[in-house]
């Protein structure tokens, strides 16, 4: 049994399989082809933080695969009344086939997984957001890295440059893990005090990223420019301090001009126009944020299929 708790839990070969399956599964969805390999399987979703995309993509995705879904939140379950996470894991995993959790510290999902009888998926923690980067890379390949037969070709990622402008947060950490595993480089620019912590990001070395003081320099020559909210969920008390610190970390049209002419813009959403990104960029021609959001569903269907059924040809 496998869990998906951080990006580095899977190998490059497993990602190649997931990208391929995501493309196949997406095609079936677009052509209204029924595909119910997870009939009679149940997904439990546990949300200890808010969500739109993760909730909808997992729920709709599981139904489309023929399965069922149940949704628990801190407020409406015993999780919010201090039942130990290990006990919750033991109970929930006796009744469902797969679990997705969105929570605070990574140690919480690690503990849940250690006591779970079924695969556990990280739907965002303070440290990581692997499902998002899975979808983002699939989107990158769909737009720029298809082979001659029109299939996602992960070899395309080798040597590419992804510019990260903003907080050294869960998204940044996960991009870095992906770069280390799949052979691209991240150009990181974060305000001082909000840098990535290499140990928290779980990196083997600093070989797959470069740090830039000026976000414009990070974007220079990039194949993809990406950012995220200035204040992540759980850090709201720092809102004002962050607003001041991040003022120059707004992806604007000048930064996009510094990137390669065919560079894409990505944002995991929700976005705050006028803060981390200018409206002209997120609503502009280089932005692929809506494909990115939709691809959460296709990529996670491939992920659930893999975790429950292994490699389906
Ligand atoms: N990108 C993302 O995970 O969005 P939600 O917070 O809406 O799930
Ligand atoms: N970094 C953001 C991502 C939201 C999908 C957060 O953790 O709130």
């Amino acid at each position: 049994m496998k869990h998906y708790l951080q990006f580095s839990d899977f190998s490059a070969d497993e990602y190649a399989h997931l990208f391929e399956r995501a493309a196949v599964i997406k095609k079936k969805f677009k052509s209204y082809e029924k595909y119910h390999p997870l009939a009679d399987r149940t997904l439990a979703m546990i949300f200890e933080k808010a969500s739109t995309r993760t909730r909808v993509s997992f729920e709709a995705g599981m139904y489309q695969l023929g399965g069922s879904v149940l949704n628990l939140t801190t407020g409406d379950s015993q999780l919010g009344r201090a039942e130990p996470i290990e006990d919750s894991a033991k109970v929930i995993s006796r009744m469902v086939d797969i679990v997705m959790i969105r929570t605070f510290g990574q140690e919480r999902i690690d503990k849940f997984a250690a006591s779970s009888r079924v695969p556990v998926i990280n739907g965002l923690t303070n440290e990581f957001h692997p499902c998002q980067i899975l979808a983002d890379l699939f989107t990158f390949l769909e737009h720029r890295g298809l082979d001659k037969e029109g299939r996602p070709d992960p070899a395309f990622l080798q040597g590419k440059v992804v510019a990260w402008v903003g907080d050294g947060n869960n998204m940044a950490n996960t991009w870095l893990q992906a770069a280390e595993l799949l052979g691209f480089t991240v150009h990181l620019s974060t305000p001082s005090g909000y840098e990535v912590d290499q140990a928290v990001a779980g990196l083997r070395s600093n070989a797959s990223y470069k740090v830039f003081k000026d976000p414009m320099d990070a974007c220079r020559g990039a194949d993809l420019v990406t950012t995220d909210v200035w204040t992540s969920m759980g850090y709201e008390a720092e809102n004002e301090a962050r607003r001041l610190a991040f003022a120059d970390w707004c992806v604007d049209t000048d930064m996009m001009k510094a990137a390669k002419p065919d560079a894409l813009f990505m944002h995991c959403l929700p976005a705050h126009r006028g803060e981390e990104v200018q409206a002209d960029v997120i609503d502009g021609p280089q932005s692929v944020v809506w494909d990115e959001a939709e691809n959460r569903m296709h990529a996670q269907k491939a992920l659930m299929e893999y975790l429950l059924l292994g490699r389906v040809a």
Side-chain angles (χ1 to χ4, degrees):
M1 183 184 67
K2 269 181 163 293
H3 300 297
Y4 190 52
L5 306 180
Q6 45 185 298
F7 198 88
S8 58
D9 284 348
F10 286 174
S11 65
D13 188 51
E14 286 173 305
Y15 281 108
H17 172 76
L18 290 176
F19 297 141
E20 190 185 320
R21 289 303 299 164
V24 169
I25 287 170
K26 180 170 183 175
K27 215 167 175 181
K28 290 182 194 294
F29 174 77
K30 296 288 177 187
S31 58
Y32 300 97
E33 183 186 329
K34 211 176 259 183
Y35 181 55
H36 286 171
L38 302 186
D40 299 327
R41 309 289 181 110
T42 306
L43 163 71
M45 302 191 293
I46 301 173
F47 284 102
E48 302 202 293
K49 290 177 178 171
S51 168
T52 297
R53 279 143 289 269
T54 303
R55 167 91 195 259
V56 176
S57 56
F58 269 104
E59 187 156 346
M62 189 56 170
Y63 285 127
Q64 289 161 21
L65 293 172
S68 312
V69 183
L70 62 90
N71 186 42
L72 293 170
T73 65
T74 314
D76 66 14
S77 69
Q78 301 289 4
L79 283 159
R81 299 182 61 252
E83 179 167 15
I85 192 100
E86 295 87 346
D87 293 2
S88 303
K90 283 179 191 154
V91 171
I92 294 166
S93 70
R94 280 181 180 235
M95 296 184 243
V96 304
D97 302 280
I98 188 164
V99 177
M100 187 286 304
I101 310 182
R102 167 168 288 195
T103 188
F104 292 88
Q106 185 72 11
E107 72 286 350
R108 237 174 121 64
I109 198 169
D110 287 343
K111 275 190 202 157
F112 191 102
S115 296
S116 174
R117 287 183 168 189
V118 301
V120 177
I121 298 171
N122 182 347
L124 181 146
T125 55
N126 291 347
E127 291 81 2
F128 299 115
H129 198 0
C131 293
Q132 183 70 53
I133 303 302
L134 174 66
D136 291 2
L137 290 171
F138 177 63
T139 308
F140 194 15
L141 295 177
E142 255 192 339
H143 279 269
R144 296 284 183 262
L146 297 178
D147 68 13
K148 283 195 268 334
E149 278 83 46
R151 293 175 310 205
D153 178 11
F156 161 85
L157 298 171
Q158 298 284 328
K160 293 292 175 292
V161 171
V162 173
W164 176 266
V165 175
D167 195 13
N169 64 9
N170 43 11
M171 283 291 297
N173 290 340
T174 313
W175 271 113
L176 289 168
Q177 284 200 348
E180 193 159 75
L181 196 71
L182 301 177
F184 59 93
T185 301
V186 177
H187 284 186
L188 267 179
S189 180
T190 61
S192 100
Y194 299 94
E195 294 88 353
V196 162
D197 179 330
Q198 197 177 300
V200 173
L203 303 178
R204 287 192 303 271
S205 80
N206 59 6
S208 56
Y209 68 93
K210 289 187 189 138
V211 174
F212 297 83
K213 228 181 147 101
D214 184 340
M216 189 68 95
D217 292 335
C219 294
R220 212 150 271 147
D223 299 279
L224 171 65
V225 176
T226 185
T227 185
D228 190 9
V229 290
W230 288 346
T231 305
S232 285
M233 291 181 280
Y235 298 84
E236 289 80 2
E238 300 173 13
N239 233 332
E240 271 324 298
R242 284 172 174 266
R243 212 178 274 281
L244 295 174
F246 282 77
D248 293 333
W249 277 261
C250 171
V251 177
D252 57 20
T253 46
D254 288 340
M255 288 186 200
M256 291 307 296
K257 275 187 205 128
K260 287 208 177 123
D262 70 342
L264 299 176
F265 172 77
M266 287 195 188
H267 190 311
C268 65
L269 307 176
H272 300 81
R273 289 168 177 76
E275 292 190 12
E276 75 274 7
V277 61
Q278 242 180 17
D280 285 354
V281 171
I282 193 168
D283 300 319
Q286 287 164 282
S287 172
V288 291
V289 297
W290 313 120
D291 288 341
E292 219 187 321
E294 177 189 327
N295 282 336
R296 289 289 304 278
M297 184 174 80
H298 308 303
Q300 289 160 193
K301 285 168 77 176
L303 174 64
M304 291 191 286
E305 178 194 68
Y306 178 61
L307 289 172
L308 288 171
L309 305 178
R311 280 181 194 246
V312 171

